[in-house]
Amino acid sequence: MSKILFVLTGADHWTLADGTKHPTGFWAEEAAAPYEAFTAAGHEVVVATPGGVVPTVDRGSLAPEANGGPEGAAKVAATLDAFAQLRTPIRLEDADLAEYDAVFYPGGHGPMEDLAVNADSGRLLTDALGSGKPLAVVCHGPAALLAAVDEDGANAFAGYRVAAFTDAEETQAGLADRAKWLLETRLREAGVDVQAGEPWAPHVVVDRNLITGQNPASSAPLAAEVLKRLS
C-alpha cells in the first residue's frame, strides 16, 4: 500500500480582474475520481491544504451538467461524502514529502487564488519533482507550478511538457475575459512546455515523473497513470 498526498486549494473564491470574488474551490471530479481509483487499489490518501483549512468544493462542479447528468452528479457527491479526509486536512506547511509515495494536485479555480503564490507548495512541488516520486497535477492545479521558483525566479518546471487547462477552455467557460491572467499563458511565460489537447477531451502528458492532465475529463486517466507507477 502506498501513501498519497492530495494537496488542495484552501481558497473559496477567485479574484477576477475587476476585484469581483468568483465563488470557487476545488473541482469535484478532479478530487473524487482519483480518490476513488487510489483507494480502490488499496492506497492511503492524506489531504493537505494551506493552513489546514477544510477545502471548499466548487458548487458548480456538483451540478448535473458538469457530471454528465443527474446520475453522475449523485455519484460524485456520494464519493466526496465518503472522502472523510477532506474534512480533516493537515497543514500543507507541515507536510513531509518523505512520508509519501506520490503527490497529487487537483484543480478548480481555487489554486489560481492561493497555490499559484504559495511558497510552501512551491517547495513541496520542487522537492517532489526532484525525488522521482509520481507527481500528478490536473486542470487548474498546474497554477501551483508557478510558485515553484528558485531564488533567481527560475521555475523548476521550465522545459517540462505539461497538460493544463487551456486558454481556449477558459474562454469557452466564459471567464477568460474577466480573469487577471490565464493559466496556459502564464505557464508558457514561465518556460513550461504546455501541450494543449482538444478542449474538454481527456488529455494526459507524462514527462519523467511528472503526470499532468488538461481538464476534469483527464482526472481518471491521470489517476490510472499514477497507479501504474505505484504497482
Side-chain angles (χ1 to χ4, degrees), residues 123-140:
R123 282 190 291 272
L124 176 68
L125 285 164
T126 301
D127 291 345
L129 189 66
S131 73
K133 297 177 181 181
L135 171 59
V137 193
V138 69
C139 201
H140 286 91

Side-chain angles (χ1 to χ4, degrees), residues 103-226:
V103 177
F104 170 59
Y105 278 66
H109 280 111
M112 302 278 281
E113 184 74 20
D114 62 352
L115 297 180
V117 293
N118 186 295
D120 293 300
S121 173
R123 282 190 291 272
L124 176 68
L125 285 164
T126 301
D127 291 345
L129 189 66
S131 73
K133 297 177 181 181
L135 171 59
V137 193
V138 69
C139 201
H140 286 91
L145 308 187
L146 297 170
V149 294
D150 63 20
E151 293 177 356
D152 297 321
N155 193 284
F157 294 86
Y160 275 78
R161 292 181 295 106
V162 167
F165 200 71
T166 64
D167 293 357
E169 287 168 318
E170 202 73 83
T171 299
Q172 292 172 21
L175 285 169
D177 61 349
R178 300 177 61 196
K180 289 182 180 179
W181 50 274
L182 297 177
L183 179 56
E184 178 187 351
T185 295
R186 187 62 65 84
L187 287 170
R188 291 187 189 279
E189 289 171 352
V192 179
D193 182 7
V194 180
Q195 306 277 302
E198 289 297 316
W200 312 109
H203 180 55
V204 172
V205 173
V206 179
D207 190 344
R208 288 154 277 187
N209 62 314
L210 179 63
I211 307 161
T212 50
Q214 180 170 310
N215 45 38
S218 305
S219 302
L222 176 141
E225 287 290 339
V226 174

Side-chain angles (χ1 to χ4, degrees), residues 19-159:
T20 301
K21 292 184 176 181
H22 176 70
T24 187
F26 70 90
W27 197 259
E29 181 181 359
E30 295 167 22
Y35 170 78
E36 204 165 42
F38 296 153
T39 55
H43 302 305
E44 179 185 354
V45 167
V46 174
V47 171
T49 62
V53 302
V54 175
T56 299
V57 63
D58 188 312
R59 303 306 299 179
S61 70
L62 297 173
E65 53 268 28
N67 293 285
E71 186 177 335
K75 183 175 183 294
V76 77
T79 300
L80 291 186
D81 189 54
F83 192 166
Q85 296 91 331
L86 287 172
R87 297 182 283 280
T88 57
I90 67 169
R91 286 166 31 95
L92 172 61
E93 299 84 345
D94 299 333
D96 181 359
L97 178 64
E99 297 179 8
Y100 302 95
D101 302 290
V103 177
F104 170 59
Y105 278 66
H109 280 111
M112 302 278 281
E113 184 74 20
D114 62 352
L115 297 180
V117 293
N118 186 295
D120 293 300
S121 173
R123 282 190 291 272
L124 176 68
L125 285 164
T126 301
D127 291 345
L129 189 66
S131 73
K133 297 177 181 181
L135 171 59
V137 193
V138 69
C139 201
H140 286 91
L145 308 187
L146 297 170
V149 294
D150 63 20
E151 293 177 356
D152 297 321
N155 193 284
F157 294 86

